[in-house]
Amino acid sequence: MLPIRRDLHFALPAERIKNWHEQGPFITHFFNALSLLFPQGELFFMDSVRHYRKHIENPQLKKEVQGFIGQEAMHSREHVAYNDLMQAAGLPAHTLDRRLKVMLDLQKKHLPASFNLAVTIALEHYTAMLAEILLSDPSRFGVSVQSYQQMWHWHALEETEHKAVAFDVWNTVIKPGPKRYLLRTGTMLFTTVFFWLVVFDFHLRLLIADRRAGGHLKGFWRMLKFLYGPKGVFPRMALPWLHYFKPGFHPWDHDNRARLDGIDRLVEAVQGPHEEQANLQP
Ligand SMILES: [Fe+2]
Ligand SMILES: [Fe+2]
């Protein structure tokens, strides 16, 4: 699976940034909170993988790493534009982004590169799990504003496409054995706590800043169902999360490459068929 860099731009209507999801501002701000993690988070992923680039000899994996970095760079750029819309709408996007930057810069500076790569593969597993939840059930977005949906779908598709790249780098550069297993799984436990605390904190801050969101109390109940209900995001993640703890786990154990069939249609819908080829780079 060779990830392809797709240079797409999304014309997101600024006036809908606080309420683009079909089910109202509460769920809109859950996705907005995730969006706030991406510019700094994806920079962290790229740096963690880049650190080990010189140790990779396999030409296929080298190309995949190039594709991975290309895709994450595009995601980061588009989420910066997305987050700027939040800032312009009076939400504290830049403050939260700076806070995350301080935390991740400290982590990059003071913690070992192997730990940072372990955090990267744990979070890549998270993005792959979230992507599968979005791609497997179109009703998650329903009739939300189209360009916002398209952007999340594009990101989910490419997270699926490159879900194993950082993991294959990990398997190549870290010595196999019980120490590697313990570092990978222990880091997943640490990352799980850290990741959800940050998402929860950012979500709450966006809701507090968007006072009008409180007027949609029905939306609060919908959000609880969306996140924690029987078909909610969290229960759906329980099993794939546990799979990560299998000693021989690999992201493609769950073969969902069929989801990628829709990618060309999406690119065409976003930019039109004539531009499509010009903007695809291996
Ligand atoms: Fe990404
Ligand atoms: Fe990713």
Side-chain angles (χ1 to χ4, degrees):
M1 181 69 67
L2 182 62
I4 295 170
R5 189 179 80 105
R6 299 175 182 84
D7 185 1
L8 298 188
H9 290 276
F10 296 85
L12 305 174
E15 70 282 5
R16 296 302 302 271
I17 187 69
K18 293 174 174 176
N19 187 14
W20 58 262
H21 194 278
E22 178 198 46
Q23 298 191 44
F26 280 88
I27 297 178
T28 294
H29 287 315
F30 172 72
F31 284 99
N32 288 354
L34 288 177
S35 176
L36 284 174
L37 300 183
F38 287 125
Q40 297 303 331
E42 293 183 318
L43 189 65
F44 178 88
F45 301 165
M46 288 188 274
D47 286 346
S48 309
V49 169
R50 257 193 218 114
H51 176 88
Y52 286 102
R53 219 172 175 181
K54 54 188 176 296
H55 303 294
I56 301 167
E57 277 157 20
N58 181 324
Q60 174 64 22
L61 186 55
K62 274 184 176 184
K63 275 193 212 158
E64 289 173 12
V65 165
Q66 194 187 345
F68 166 79
I69 290 173
Q71 287 190 339
E72 296 294 35
M74 293 296 102
H75 301 167
S76 198
R77 183 193 71 193
E78 288 309 297
H79 280 280
V80 166
Y82 180 127
N83 299 346
D84 284 347
L85 297 183
M86 283 192 245
Q87 183 68 27
L91 301 170
H94 290 172
T95 308
L96 296 177
D97 175 77
R98 270 196 305 273
R99 231 172 260 176
L100 189 62
K101 179 173 163 42
V102 169
M103 280 193 278
L104 292 178
D105 282 353
L106 279 174
Q107 182 173 333
K108 272 189 266 188
K109 204 168 156 202
H110 296 292
L111 294 174
S114 56
F115 176 69
N116 292 336
L117 187 60
V119 169
T120 297
I121 57 171
L123 286 172
E124 281 289 296
H125 188 54
Y126 263 108
T127 52
M129 288 190 291
L130 287 164
E132 176 61 11
I133 288 170
L134 295 183
L135 298 172
S136 62
D137 181 3
S139 73
R140 295 268 169 210
F141 282 134
V143 292
S144 304
V145 176
Q146 195 189 31
S147 48
Y148 284 95
Q149 280 198 54
Q150 286 174 328
M151 181 163 161
W152 284 104
H153 271 143
W154 163 69
H155 199 163
L157 284 163
E158 293 195 345
E159 288 303 322
T160 304
E161 196 171 43
H162 74 226
K163 69 177 178 175
V165 176
F167 198 92
D168 288 338
V169 171
W170 167 266
N171 274 347
T172 305
V173 300
I174 309 291
K175 216 171 98 202
K179 237 174 111 182
R180 181 168 83 176
Y181 173 76
L182 288 174
L183 179 57
R184 176 170 73 79
T185 50
T187 304
M188 176 50 112
L189 295 175
F190 160 83
T191 305
T192 293
V193 174
F194 180 76
F195 177 64
W196 289 117
L197 272 179
V198 174
V199 173
F200 184 78
D201 178 45
F202 281 20
H203 189 184
L204 197 64
R205 282 168 199 278
L206 291 178
L207 288 169
I208 291 169
D210 181 10
R211 281 177 225 106
R212 273 188 320 157
H216 298 70
L217 266 185
K218 224 166 71 188
F220 181 71
W221 174 245
R222 286 194 197 136
M223 179 194 73
L224 289 183
K225 238 172 78 185
F226 187 91
L227 296 179
Y228 307 107
K231 287 184 180 168
V233 170
F234 284 88
R236 279 275 160 98
M237 261 187 301
L239 265 183
W241 184 81
L242 282 173
H243 282 153
Y244 193 80
F245 292 85
K246 259 181 29 193
F249 167 83
H250 186 270
W252 284 115
D253 290 346
H254 174 53
D255 189 352
N256 59 344
R257 69 189 69 203
R259 303 265 180 243
L260 300 173
D261 291 349
I263 223 169
D264 292 340
R265 264 198 317 279
L266 179 72
V267 171
E268 205 176 305
V270 173
Q271 59 179 188
H274 48 287
E275 287 179 55
E276 186 183 347
Q277 290 310 316
N279 283 320
L280 297 186
Q281 289 181 19

